Amino acid sequence: MRKPVITKTVFTQTFGDVPVSCLNLSVKAANFLENGRIYTMNDLYARIDQIDGFQNSTPMRQERNREIHKAFEDWAEQCRKSIPAEGTGFTFLQKYINDDKVSDFAINMGSCRAEEKLLLKYFPPSYQDETKKEYYEKARSVFAKQNNIITASRWRFNSCKYLAEMEVPLNKKLKITFADGYFNYADDADEKLYSVYYMNFADCLLFGFYDASNFSQDEIQTLEMPLLPSMMLAIESLKDNLLKSLTAEKKKPTPWIFENIPQWILVNTAPVLDDGTSVNFYGRDFRNASRVVIEKGLSVLKPDESCSVNIICARAPTQGHNEFYTKEDMAYFLSCALAAFGGSVKISSRPCKIHTGNWGTGAFGNNLEASYLVQLIAGAMCGVAELVFHKADAEVFTKARHKFDAMPDKIAFNYAVSFLQEQHYRWGCSNGQ
């Protein structure tokens, strides 16, 4: 019997919407309040009798629910001193907000891990595009002896309605830096101060077009790091209800975070030819690029040149039928950024540094200033230490930064959504890439 290729490492049974074994006390409180409409201590204990399936005749189900019942009672006992008999759950949760114990907006839906050699043996990426296939095969032969352990986790926004009304500090000291070019992962290879993450401007289908001739930001990363689509194929093999290869589900964001992905291929979509001619093969231009251009723009790294990268896959909202962003559009936009950034902060052992850019403003047609402002707000609300914006439009970013600086020092999620909607941002146009 062969060794499992991919192993679920944080996959917990749930009580309502709350993973009993891995979420902290405050997040449990938020979700019980959301799902059970709990207002007083009496409501807490009444909720025990409403456990879904507690009377189910299946012995295994009964045993699981007895464990959940006990976990809930233990939790409620810890809450006893925090919630007076006639007090409110809102008061209890506010106490933890003020103590900075509930400042994360991201909930881990589950995670998994796999060895590189097993991924490549059982779930190798399969490229339809001949150029991608050729460079993948070259890179695989170079990195055949490597065996990284890769971790992936899926996240969602903590949508507790009480938490949405509670103010959290907006870190105005969030460090903002800029970079002219595309992501250069080697720049942070020796970083000791930060845990570093790079954004993947994802589609709803995780790495859904990696194999074709598309060559936008998502497809570039899946060629640079072929183990991204390999890991996706392994995740799909699990056929797990929570660990789906989707970055959005039922109109809610569910970003993925991948850790320790090795870079195999270096991509430069704007190389300069030997005769001094500047060319570009980003997006649709990739499929028509000449051999000379491809060889100038793509190169397989050597093992000592490679570095391991952490990737955040988050899907920005897609353009609706309205000229202006609706409140629902902005709520999705901000909640997606908070789940993605917040998840990164939550799993980081050091301060979190995130490389990003013009997220969602290409094929999805999002407003550039809105994208910048959403990311600034999300980073400041969930504790990111530094945001690095690549290829940012200086004039547009300055406008977004002025609006961010004018916001209060403490804000709630609902306030931020209303603030964003009040800017009356217009949808842009898809660039068709």
Side-chain angles (χ1 to χ4, degrees):
M1 184 175 181
R2 69 176 173 86
K3 181 179 179 180
V5 178
I6 186 167
T7 307
K8 293 180 287 191
T9 55
V10 182
F11 180 66
T12 58
Q13 299 292 338
T14 60
F15 168 66
D17 219 13
V18 186
V20 169
S21 65
C22 67
L23 292 184
N24 61 42
L25 178 66
S26 55
V27 176
K28 286 182 184 178
N31 282 276
F32 282 129
L33 289 166
E34 175 188 10
N35 297 315
R37 298 186 63 80
I38 298 169
Y39 298 101
T40 68
M41 179 58 75
N42 291 334
D43 293 323
L44 290 177
Y45 282 107
R47 183 71 173 98
I48 295 176
D49 298 326
Q50 299 173 12
I51 298 176
D52 178 39
F54 187 73
Q55 302 301 324
N56 191 294
S57 59
T58 305
M60 183 177 297
R61 182 68 176 272
Q62 285 188 355
E63 177 61 27
R64 181 178 72 83
N65 285 326
R66 276 192 288 270
E67 293 176 2
I68 293 172
H69 186 284
K70 179 63 166 60
F72 185 89
E73 284 190 313
D74 291 345
W75 171 79
E77 187 63 31
Q78 294 178 62
C79 296
R80 184 179 294 278
K81 294 181 180 179
S82 299
I83 307 181
E86 299 303 324
T88 65
F90 183 90
T91 303
F92 162 72
L93 195 54
Q94 183 68 60
K95 174 183 182 296
Y96 277 84
I97 288 283
N98 292 338
D99 289 345
D100 292 329
K101 295 179 181 177
V102 187
S103 58
D104 68 276
F105 294 88
I107 292 180
N108 189 344
M109 299 175 68
S111 65
C112 50
R113 67 201 303 251
E115 292 182 20
E116 181 177 339
K117 65 180 181 182
L118 293 177
L119 283 174
L120 292 174
K121 181 177 181 178
Y122 295 105
F123 298 100
S126 177
Y127 295 97
Q128 296 180 27
D129 181 87
E130 290 299 324
T131 300
K132 291 182 178 180
K133 182 178 180 180
E134 174 192 348
Y135 275 83
Y136 162 68
E137 294 295 345
K138 288 181 180 178
R140 181 169 180 174
S141 65
V142 171
F143 290 90
K145 296 183 180 180
Q146 306 297 309
N147 194 28
N148 287 12
I149 300 295
I150 296 168
T151 302
S153 52
R154 193 183 186 206
W155 297 80
R156 69 173 180 84
F157 176 67
N158 186 355
S159 58
C160 167
K161 63 181 180 180
Y162 294 93
L163 188 62
E165 291 288 351
M166 296 196 181
E167 294 183 343
V168 297
L170 187 69
N171 179 22
K172 298 291 187 66
K173 295 181 180 180
L174 170 66
K175 185 178 180 181
I176 306 297
T177 53
F178 300 93
D180 292 333
Y182 181 63
F183 297 160
N184 186 350
Y185 309 108
D187 285 348
D188 290 305
D190 298 320
E191 177 62 65
K192 303 299 182 184
L193 178 61
Y194 296 107
S195 293
V196 183
Y197 295 81
Y198 290 82
M199 282 283 280
N200 170 279
F201 304 158
D203 184 73
C204 180
L205 298 174
L206 185 65
F207 312 132
F209 305 99
Y210 83 91
D211 58 337
S213 296
N214 306 54
F215 212 56
S216 296
Q217 197 258 11
D218 185 7
E219 293 80 38
I220 290 172
Q221 283 188 331
T222 52
L223 181 61
E224 292 175 316
M225 292 164 268
L227 286 172
L228 285 172
S230 184
M231 192 70 173
M232 176 269 292
L233 294 171
I235 289 168
E236 289 183 340
S237 75
L238 292 172
K239 300 186 184 303
D240 188 277
N241 191 45
L242 291 180
L243 296 179
K244 297 178 181 178
S245 59
L246 299 173
T247 59
E249 188 175 10
K250 298 179 181 178
K251 299 182 179 181
K252 303 291 185 182
T254 56
W256 278 88
I257 300 175
F258 292 83
E259 299 174 273
N260 204 33
I261 300 287
Q263 182 189 10
W264 286 5
I265 297 171
L266 184 65
V267 175
N268 175 13
T269 58
V272 178
L273 304 183
D274 292 340
D275 62 3
T277 303
S278 297
V279 293
N280 191 301
F281 60 90
Y282 183 87
R284 292 173 184 257
D285 292 332
F286 178 76
R287 68 189 68 185
N288 299 318
S290 69
R291 187 68 189 178
V292 172
V293 171
I294 291 296
E295 289 179 352
K296 277 291 182 181
L298 302 183
S299 57
V300 176
L301 296 171
K302 298 176 182 178
D304 61 353
E305 297 172 329
S306 177
C307 59
S308 294
V309 185
N310 303 319
I311 299 292
I312 303 169
C313 302
R315 192 205 76 161
T318 54
Q319 187 168 5
H321 301 293
N322 302 294
E323 180 182 1
F324 295 93
Y325 282 80
T326 64
K327 187 174 184 179
E328 290 73 24
D329 293 333
M330 285 304 185
Y332 176 96
F333 212 165
L334 183 58
S335 64
C336 183
L338 285 168
F341 292 1
S344 302
V345 171
K346 199 167 184 179
I347 60 180
S348 297
S349 59
R350 294 173 291 182
C352 186
K353 176 180 179 180
I354 297 176
H355 288 260
T356 183
N358 303 331
W359 176 41
T361 62
F364 289 0
N366 280 278
N367 182 287
L368 184 57
E369 184 182 320
S371 176
Y372 292 153
L373 185 54
V374 163
Q375 293 182 82
L376 287 171
I377 294 171
M381 287 182 74
C382 65
V384 173
E386 180 179 353
L387 286 175
V388 183
F389 285 87
H390 290 251
K391 303 181 109 175
D393 183 304
E395 182 179 353
V396 176
F397 190 91
T398 298
K399 293 178 181 178
R401 182 62 186 266
H402 285 332
K403 292 178 179 179
F404 170 75
D405 289 340
M407 297 181 77
D409 292 336
K410 280 191 172 185
I411 63 171
F413 172 78
N414 285 350
Y415 171 88
V417 170
S418 296
F419 179 87
L420 287 163
Q421 188 187 14
E422 288 167 3
Q423 307 312 308
H424 301 293
Y425 286 124
R426 281 186 168 88
W427 280 94
C429 297
S430 171
N431 63 6
Q433 299 285 7

